Amino acid sequence: MLLTELPPPPGAHEVAGLRARARNARRSALVALSTSIALQATAQLLADRAATREQTLPLAVLSLAVFVVALPTLAATQYVWGARARHVRRRERELYADVPSGRVRPLSRICVACCWAVTLLLGWTSPRFFRQAAWYAFADALNWAAEALAVLSLSAGVLFLLWWAREALEMLTRVRRPGGSPGDPWDPGSGARRGEGAVLWTGAIVAVAALVGARAHLWEPATGVVYGLLTVALVCGVVTDE
C-alpha cells in the first residue's frame, strides 16, 4: 500500500483545523486593517473637498467614528490572530517536533505595525476637520486627546520595535543553527495554499495605498475615482476567501 493511501495519524486533522482557524483570524485582522484605513482616508479626502461647513461636519464625524471603532477592533482581531497562531505552533511542535521556520513573520509584523501607524496618523488629523466645521471647542478637546494618544502610541511603538528586534534576532539564530528535527512525514503542512484570494488581496492593497496617497496629497484623483477606490478596497477585502 502506498504511503499516501494510509490513514493520517492522530493529530493531523486537528492541526489542519487549527491552521484553518488561524488563517480565518488572520483574514479578519487584515480586513479590519484595510477597511479602517480606507474609510478614514476616504472620509477625510471628501471632508477636505467639502465646500461648506455643513458638508464637512458629517464627514468629520464619520472619520472620528471609524477611528474610535477601529482601535479596539484592530486590537481584538490581532490578539485573536496571534493567539491562534501560537496555538498552532505549540501543537505542531508537540506532534512533529518541528515547526515551519516562519521567516516571513518579522516582515508581516512590521507591515502590520506600519498599518497601525497609518491608522493613528489619520486619527490624529481629525481635530482639524472639526475646526473647519466651526466646532472649535470640540476640536480643542479632541486635539488634547490626540496629543495624549500620540504619547502613548509612541511609547508603544518603541516597545514594539524592541520586542520585534529581539524576535527577529532569535529567529535568525534558529535558522542558522545546524541540525534539528526533519519533522514528521505525515505533517499536513500548509500544503498547496489556496491562491484564489491573491488577486483580490492585491487589489485591496493597491486601492488602500492609492487612497492613502491621495490623502497625503501625492496625487489628486477625481471624487468619482475616490469612491471607486473605496469600493474596490471594501469588496476585495470582504469577498477574499482564503
Side-chain angles (χ1 to χ4, degrees):
M1 182 179 293
L2 295 176
L3 182 63
T4 54
E5 295 177 353
L6 295 174
H13 290 302
E14 178 192 0
V15 170
L18 291 175
R19 286 170 174 165
R21 293 177 69 243
R23 287 194 299 270
N24 289 336
R26 179 184 62 187
R27 176 180 177 273
S28 298
L30 296 179
V31 168
L33 267 176
S34 62
T35 300
S36 62
I37 294 175
L39 287 174
Q40 280 192 90
T42 300
Q44 293 184 7
L45 269 171
L46 298 177
D48 263 339
R49 300 179 180 188
T52 64
R53 297 174 178 176
E54 290 75 14
Q55 294 175 347
T56 302
L57 181 58
L59 295 168
V61 172
L62 174 61
S63 174
L64 179 61
V66 171
F67 179 66
V68 170
V69 172
L71 292 183
T73 301
L74 297 183
T77 54
Q78 290 174 27
Y79 173 81
V80 173
W81 177 16
R84 291 184 179 179
R86 288 190 296 272
H87 189 189
V88 170
R89 290 195 294 272
R90 284 196 300 268
R91 193 61 179 141
E92 286 173 337
R93 190 173 290 109
E94 293 171 358
L95 290 173
Y96 308 121
D98 198 9
V99 295
S101 63
R103 295 177 183 178
V104 300
R105 200 178 306 150
L107 178 60
S108 65
R109 286 172 176 171
I110 204 68
C111 290
V112 170
C114 291
C115 291
W116 266 97
V118 172
T119 302
L120 292 171
L121 287 172
L122 291 172
W124 293 340
T125 60
S126 295
R128 180 169 67 86
F129 298 103
F130 284 96
R131 190 167 286 108
Q132 290 178 359
W135 281 41
Y136 301 113
F138 185 76
D140 292 338
L142 200 60
N143 190 63
W144 179 86
E147 291 177 354
L149 180 61
V151 174
L152 294 175
S153 302
L154 291 174
S155 301
V158 172
L159 294 176
F160 167 80
L161 287 176
L162 293 175
W163 169 78
W164 179 83
R166 188 196 67 179
E167 290 285 315
L169 289 175
E170 290 180 355
M171 188 169 297
L172 182 61
T173 302
R174 289 195 297 269
V175 169
R176 292 182 174 180
R177 188 178 301 161
S181 170
D184 193 303
W186 276 108
D187 179 6
S190 299
R193 291 185 177 179
R194 296 176 60 186
E196 293 88 343
V199 175
L200 293 174
W201 275 123
T202 301
I205 292 171
V206 170
V208 172
L211 288 171
V212 173
R215 176 66 188 86
H217 303 291
L218 299 179
W219 70 306
E220 297 294 334
T223 301
V225 175
V226 172
Y227 282 116
L229 289 172
L230 175 63
T231 302
V232 170
L234 296 180
V235 171
C236 288
V238 170
V239 304
T240 298
D241 183 12
E242 297 187 5

